[in-house]
Amino acid sequence: MRTDIFARLDREPEPPKIEPPRMSRHRIALFGGTLAFYLAIVIAVLVSSWLVTLDWKVMLFRPYQQWPEIHAFLDYYIVLGQRGPTATMVACWLGWRSWRQHTLRPLLTLGAALLLLNVTVGAVKIGLGRLGPHYATQIGSAELFAGGDIFPSGHTANAVVTWGILAYLATTPRARRYLSAMSAIVSLGVGLTTVYLGTHWLSDVLLGWAAGLLIMLGLPWAEPLITRAEAWIFAQRENLRGFGRPVPSVPVAAGGPRTVPQADGVDAPALEPVVAAAAGGTGSRSRAHSSHPAHPAHLVRSERTPVTPAGSRRPPHADRTPRGGTTPARPVTGG
C-alpha cells in the first residue's frame, strides 16, 4: 500500500501568502455607502413609504402559488441560510485549516463575525419588532413594534457572513474572487427564497444583505483583537504544557562552598573553607586574602592537615647510625 499520500498530509504547509484585508480607502468608502443604504431602508420602513407598499404587493402576489414546482427544492435550499448547519460546515473546514497551518485565525475570525452578526442583527430585530407576512394584521401597514423579529432577515445576513468569510480568509486573489462570487450568489438566492416562501418582506431581505455586508466590510477593524486573542490562547497552552515539569536545579553562586578533590593519602576537608585573615596580620593583607577564595594548595599552615613521616623504607643497617647521633666506639685491633 502506498503511504506517500499520508506523508504529504503530515507535512506542514506553507503559511498563507496573502495578508488579511485592511481598511483601505476603497473599503471605507464601500462601508460608508452600505451604511447609508442600511439607514435609508430603516427610515423608509419607519415612515411607511413606497417600500412598504412594494412589500405588500409582492406578498399578495404569492410567488409560492405562482411557481409551485420549485417549492420542494427551495425548502432544502433555504438551509444554506440557517445559522446552525452553515456555521457547523464552515467551522469544520476552517478548523481543519487551522490545524494544518498551526494558527487559530480562521476560527477566531469566524467567531468574531458570527458574534457581530448576532449582536447587530438581533438588536435591530428586537428593537423594531416587525411581524412577518404570514402574521400581518393590517394591509399597507409596516407592522412595526408588534413583537415580531423578522426585520432584517437573519437568513440573508447569515448567508452573506457565513459564506463570505470563506472569501475573506482565502489565501490567493483568484480564490478570493471565486469565493466572493459564490457567496454573493448563495446569499442572493437565500434572500429571494425567503420572499418566495412568504416568510420575509422584500425590505427584510434588502436590510439583511446590507447588514451582512457591513460586517464583512468592517471585519478588518477586529483583526488586532483577533491577533491578541490568538497570542493569549497560545500562551495559555504553553503554560499548561509547562505545568508539572520538574524545576531545573539552580547552580551554586560564585563564592559559595565547593567540593575540593581529595589528594591520595591526604584527608582533605569536604568543603573549601574561606581563608580568614591571619591573627596579627596587616589589614591590607587580610583584605587581599578575603577578596579571593582560598586555593587548597595555599592554605594557612595552621589549617593544613599534619602529615607524620612514615620513616625510611630501607631496612636498618648495623653499621649505620642515624644522622646527628653519636658514633659508637669501634674496638681497636692489633697493637
Side-chain angles (χ1 to χ4, degrees):
M1 184 177 65
R2 298 186 60 181
T3 59
D4 53 342
I5 297 178
F6 299 100
R8 186 168 56 184
L9 286 177
D10 293 336
R11 188 184 310 161
E12 294 185 4
E14 296 181 359
K17 299 296 184 182
I18 191 169
E19 296 182 357
R22 298 180 180 180
M23 291 303 297
S24 60
R25 294 182 178 180
H26 178 70
R27 198 178 191 93
I28 293 177
L30 288 177
F31 183 87
T34 306
L35 181 59
F37 178 78
Y38 185 97
L39 296 176
I41 296 297
V42 173
I43 294 174
V45 174
L46 286 174
V47 300
S48 298
S49 65
W50 60 270
L51 185 58
V52 176
T53 304
L54 182 61
D55 288 339
W56 278 96
K57 288 182 178 180
V58 174
M59 191 274 286
L60 295 175
F61 181 70
R62 291 180 173 86
Y64 57 89
Q65 292 182 356
Q66 302 296 328
W67 303 283
E69 61 275 4
I70 62 175
H71 195 290
F73 169 75
L74 294 181
D75 279 339
Y76 290 100
Y77 184 82
I78 198 65
V79 177
L80 295 178
Q82 291 183 359
R83 190 163 307 165
T86 56
T88 302
M89 290 186 292
V90 174
C92 290
W93 166 252
L94 295 180
W96 183 81
R97 278 189 54 185
S98 297
W99 176 73
R100 290 282 291 150
Q101 297 176 353
H102 302 281
T103 176
L104 293 178
R105 180 176 172 265
L107 286 177
L108 292 177
T109 304
L110 176 63
L114 293 180
L115 180 62
L116 291 174
L117 176 67
N118 292 334
V119 172
T120 56
V121 174
V124 177
K125 279 176 175 286
I126 298 174
L128 296 178
R130 191 180 191 187
L131 294 176
H134 293 314
Y135 303 96
T137 58
Q138 184 180 357
I139 296 178
S141 173
E143 302 295 334
L144 293 173
F145 311 108
D149 58 350
I150 56 100
F151 183 68
S153 172
H155 278 72
T156 306
N158 182 73
V160 174
V161 172
T162 306
W163 302 112
I165 205 70
L166 298 179
Y168 181 85
L169 295 172
T171 56
T172 60
R174 183 178 181 181
R176 179 168 293 178
R177 289 194 299 267
Y178 288 160
L179 290 174
S180 298
M182 183 203 72
S183 62
I185 293 173
V186 171
S187 59
L188 179 65
V190 169
L192 295 179
T193 299
T194 60
V195 176
Y196 169 86
L197 297 175
T199 57
H200 278 287
W201 307 97
L202 180 61
S203 57
D204 298 343
V205 175
L206 295 177
L207 196 65
W209 283 332
L213 189 57
L214 282 176
I215 294 175
M216 296 307 304
L217 289 174
L219 199 56
W221 278 324
E223 286 291 341
L225 182 61
I226 293 173
T227 303
R228 288 195 296 267
E230 181 183 19
W232 181 83
I233 293 175
F234 281 140
Q236 297 302 315
R237 185 189 66 174
E238 295 300 326
N239 292 337
L240 291 177
R241 286 182 175 180
F243 181 76
R245 290 182 180 178
V247 180
S249 58
V250 181
V252 179
R258 294 174 295 177
T259 58
V260 179
Q262 297 183 0
D264 294 339
V266 180
D267 297 334
L271 297 178
E272 177 183 354
V274 180
V275 178
T282 61
S284 60
R285 184 178 182 84
S286 301
R287 285 193 299 269
H289 281 282
S290 60
S291 61
H292 300 283
H295 192 274
H298 298 84
L299 295 178
V300 182
R301 180 178 297 273
S302 60
E303 295 177 355
R304 296 180 184 175
T305 305
V307 180
T308 57
S312 177
R313 295 183 180 179
R314 295 181 181 180
H317 197 278
D319 296 339
R320 293 181 180 179
T321 59
R323 184 176 299 176
T326 58
T327 304
R330 296 183 180 180
V332 179
T333 58

